Amino acid sequence: MAPNDAHTALWPAPHASGAVDATVHVPGSKSVTNRALVLAALASEPGWLRRPLRSRDTLLMAGALRAMGVGIEETVSSSSSAASAPNGSGEAWRILPAGLQGPATVDVGNAGTVMRFLPPVAALADGPVRFDGDPRSYERPLNGVIDALRVLGARIDDDGRGALPLTVHGGGALDGGPVSIDASSSSQFVSALLLSGPRFNQGVEVRHIGASLPSMPHIRMTVDMLRAVGAQVDTPESGGEPNVWRVTPGALLGRDLTVEPDLSNAQPFLAAALVTGGKVLIPDWPARTTQPGDRLREIFTEMGGSCELTDYGLVFTGSGAVHGIDVDLGDVGELTPGIAAVAALADSPSTLRGVAHLRLHETDRLAALTKEINELGGDVTETADGLHIRPRPLHGGTFHTYEDHRMATAGAIIGLAVEGVLIENVATTAKTLPDFPELWTGMLGA
């Protein structure tokens, strides 16, 4: 299928004929993979990344680092266990740090981690690095990173847009030091500065000013991963000032990291158990993690399921009933589309709060969810910071995805319970969840 055909193709979302009973191997975490790539590229020695996610966003990150001179060698295990394992799990990437070089051109696609994490890296390169991407990427805010880098000593040409496209004129080093930013539109602004902070001459002190920070688990993930490669990080949780993070300058260690399954990408499969009253096992679910998706255990249990974390993984079981929920998703906004899909099938209303920042994601997710669910007969209204969902009998129709992977999986969840749902451009799931249609039909035994 030609790329343009994929955008307009309609995928008949499979309808569940009964309770799901399946084991689903979920590929590795995008958030962990892309942070690990950046840290390994900035390290003082080679490192390994095992079971990385191989998706559009992570391949864009790897390609961007290669463009700046970093060596990334890909190997695949030939063992029989690897051959039958999930996408990327038999794979290992050897990262060989090198002197970062320009001129280079970086394609960010529509990946927030690439467009935000790499300008600080580019400021350390010797030469100019141009950033460009998909049309939607021009609409996503970057001013938090751009303005902060200028304060820290970088030279950036963006024609005053505070957004892509832009060029970072790397000087081979960056002074660093204290900077204040408003990261209320994206926690990635904070993570972007922290990840490169150890390589700045003075380290970095990031002070958030403004409204509350969304997606705090992602900042905790950044901090944990920095500490794991030898960085010294002071945080509000470790006794520092509220909304202030300090990274001390110093060398980063190369390490051998195995990437956890992407728990946010496990969401549609857990939702399938909830919606059909079935059971799904997700192998290798970590007992301790900073991934926001771990909160699904609590949220989906409140909505009518039950879960057990075993030595093998997470077993999630639906009860046959789906209940509405009133929940603040400010820390876990990426879970909103899937929760909204389940809520549209519930037996009572739901209110999803704390997610105004979703209007700035891959698409305006609040407007998109409202429009698409309502066009299937639903009753969803936008609020100032979220959605109110009143369940109604739904009918089939086209569910548009706006090139947003989580819109596509939300439509698939609804399709389990509603016949005749057609997902436009299901191929957009390749952004973070390769082979989703095959995983989904396999879960259903098709």
Side-chain angles (χ1 to χ4, degrees):
M1 181 182 294
N4 288 341
D5 294 339
H7 290 331
T8 56
L10 298 179
W11 181 65
H15 182 69
S17 57
V20 167
D21 187 356
T23 296
V24 181
H25 290 270
V26 176
S29 164
K30 177 202 75 174
S31 298
V32 172
T33 299
N34 274 357
R35 282 166 173 78
L37 282 169
V38 171
L39 291 172
L42 295 173
S44 59
E45 57 191 358
W48 284 95
L49 189 57
R50 303 185 190 277
R51 296 177 65 170
L53 174 66
R54 188 180 182 85
S55 73
R56 187 186 186 214
D57 278 17
T58 60
L59 293 176
L60 285 168
M61 179 68 85
L65 292 169
R66 285 188 177 113
M68 287 188 273
V70 177
I72 301 177
E73 301 173 352
E74 302 179 29
T75 62
V76 179
S77 170
S78 59
S79 70
S80 59
S81 61
S84 61
N87 180 18
S89 66
E91 191 168 354
W93 293 353
R94 175 79 161 161
I95 295 93
L96 303 168
L100 298 166
Q101 297 293 326
T105 299
V106 168
D107 176 10
V108 310
N110 192 18
T113 51
V114 182
M115 70 179 74
R116 291 166 181 151
F117 291 178
L118 288 189
V121 176
L124 299 168
D126 187 6
V129 181
R130 177 171 172 78
F131 290 81
D132 208 337
D134 297 353
R136 171 63 181 172
S137 71
Y138 291 12
E139 303 171 26
R140 300 184 68 181
L142 267 180
N143 54 295
V145 173
I146 294 169
D147 294 346
L149 285 175
R150 285 179 174 142
V151 169
L152 298 174
R155 184 161 70 89
I156 300 173
D157 292 337
D158 68 337
D159 293 331
R161 287 182 301 269
L164 292 170
L166 59 86
T167 299
V168 179
H169 295 274
L174 195 68
D175 287 342
V179 65
S180 296
I181 62 171
D182 181 352
S184 56
S185 62
S186 176
S187 68
Q188 290 176 350
F189 294 166
V190 174
S191 288
L193 298 169
L194 299 184
L195 287 167
S196 292
R199 289 285 305 272
F200 299 164
N201 294 339
Q202 302 173 42
V204 71
E205 176 188 288
V206 181
R207 182 180 301 270
H208 165 65
I209 53 173
S212 61
L213 263 173
S215 304
M216 279 297 297
H218 278 127
I219 296 179
R220 287 192 283 271
M221 176 188 292
T222 297
V223 170
D224 279 5
M225 293 183 69
L226 275 162
R227 287 172 173 162
V229 295
Q232 181 179 328
V233 189
D234 296 323
T235 71
E237 292 87 353
S238 60
E241 294 179 59
N243 291 325
V244 177
W245 293 262
R246 294 183 181 88
V247 179
T248 302
L252 298 178
L253 307 174
R255 63 166 297 193
D256 192 322
L257 174 70
T258 299
V259 179
E260 299 172 350
D262 193 310
L263 306 188
S264 294
N265 278 341
Q267 180 182 39
F269 306 102
L270 300 181
L274 183 57
V275 167
T276 68
K279 180 172 71 173
V280 168
L281 166 64
I282 307 292
D284 302 319
W285 192 288
R288 178 192 173 276
T289 181
T290 52
Q291 287 193 62
D294 192 46
R295 198 169 158 209
L296 285 167
R297 292 191 288 160
E298 167 199 335
I299 293 169
F300 278 172
T301 296
E302 187 173 341
M303 296 186 81
S306 61
C307 63
E308 179 186 7
L309 191 58
T310 70
D311 290 340
Y312 190 60
L314 182 74
V315 180
F316 188 84
T317 307
S319 63
V322 180
H323 308 310
I325 190 171
D326 186 328
V327 62
D328 188 325
L329 299 175
D331 278 353
V332 292
E334 66 198 49
L335 304 181
T336 302
I339 293 170
V342 172
L345 303 170
D347 58 13
S348 58
S350 294
T351 300
L352 312 184
R353 294 178 283 106
V355 287
H357 61 286
L358 294 190
R359 295 186 169 100
L360 301 171
H361 276 221
E362 281 81 346
T363 187
D364 179 342
R365 285 179 170 165
L366 300 184
L369 287 164
T370 300
K371 178 177 181 293
E372 297 309 314
I373 294 174
N374 286 352
E375 289 193 355
L376 300 182
D379 184 1
V380 182
T381 54
E382 280 193 62
T383 65
D385 71 338
L387 299 172
H388 187 62
I389 302 167
R390 302 171 191 82
R392 290 176 55 179
L394 303 181
H395 54 72
T398 300
F399 194 94
H400 299 92
T401 60
Y402 311 90
E403 298 186 43
D404 184 337
H405 55 131
R406 299 208 192 277
M407 287 296 296
T409 52
I413 292 167
I414 292 173
L416 290 174
V418 180
E419 293 192 62
V421 174
L422 303 172
I423 309 295
E424 173 236 14
N425 188 19
V426 74
T428 196
T429 52
K431 185 178 194 292
T432 61
L433 187 50
D435 305 322
F436 170 74
E438 292 80 6
L439 287 168
W440 195 247
T441 54
M443 172 192 68
L444 295 169

